[in-house]
Amino acid sequence: MHELSLLDDLLGKIEALVQEHQAQRVLALTLRIGCLAHISPEHLRHHFLLAAPGTVVEGARLEIKVLNDLTHPQAQEIVLEAVELDA
């Protein structure tokens, strides 16, 4: 269930960006996950695809980058790195 709260938070941030830029939907997005974020890229992708239908990210291309530096300040985080919007 932890993944659902992560995705709810992420989708909320993305929806706010869509509204702020008066876009219709998201075409692509890039996420960066730290190596200590306790979720694999595959697991994150799976939950993203389950959460996407009916939202502004439905059908969006998802790129996930993994930060491998254990000492990086964001090693435990999932970061929204880029969003491509359809105006």
Side-chain angles (χ1 to χ4, degrees), residues 5-32:
S5 64
L6 288 174
L7 285 170
D8 283 345
D9 183 54
L10 178 64
L11 289 175
K13 291 176 183 176
I14 294 168
E15 287 174 359
L17 285 171
V18 168
Q19 290 177 1
E20 179 183 332
H21 294 279
Q22 300 177 343
Q24 299 300 313
R25 63 189 182 99
V26 176
L27 299 174
L29 61 133
T30 303
L31 301 177
R32 184 178 65 239

Side-chain angles (χ1 to χ4, degrees), residues 51-87:
T55 71
V56 295
V57 298
E58 183 173 7
R61 187 175 64 254
L62 173 63
E63 180 181 357
I64 301 174
K65 297 178 180 178
V66 178
L67 181 64
N68 292 314
D69 182 358
L70 291 168
T71 62
H72 193 281
Q74 295 175 327
Q76 296 183 37
E77 298 179 24
I78 298 172
V79 176
L80 180 58
E81 190 171 275
V83 179
E84 181 183 346
L85 301 173
D86 180 19

Side-chain angles (χ1 to χ4, degrees), residues 34-65:
C35 55
L36 301 176
H38 303 292
I39 190 167
S40 69
E42 297 79 17
H43 198 71
L44 179 58
R45 182 178 302 279
H46 172 76
H47 283 281
F48 178 85
L49 292 174
L50 289 176
T55 71
V56 295
V57 298
E58 183 173 7
R61 187 175 64 254
L62 173 63
E63 180 181 357
I64 301 174
K65 297 178 180 178

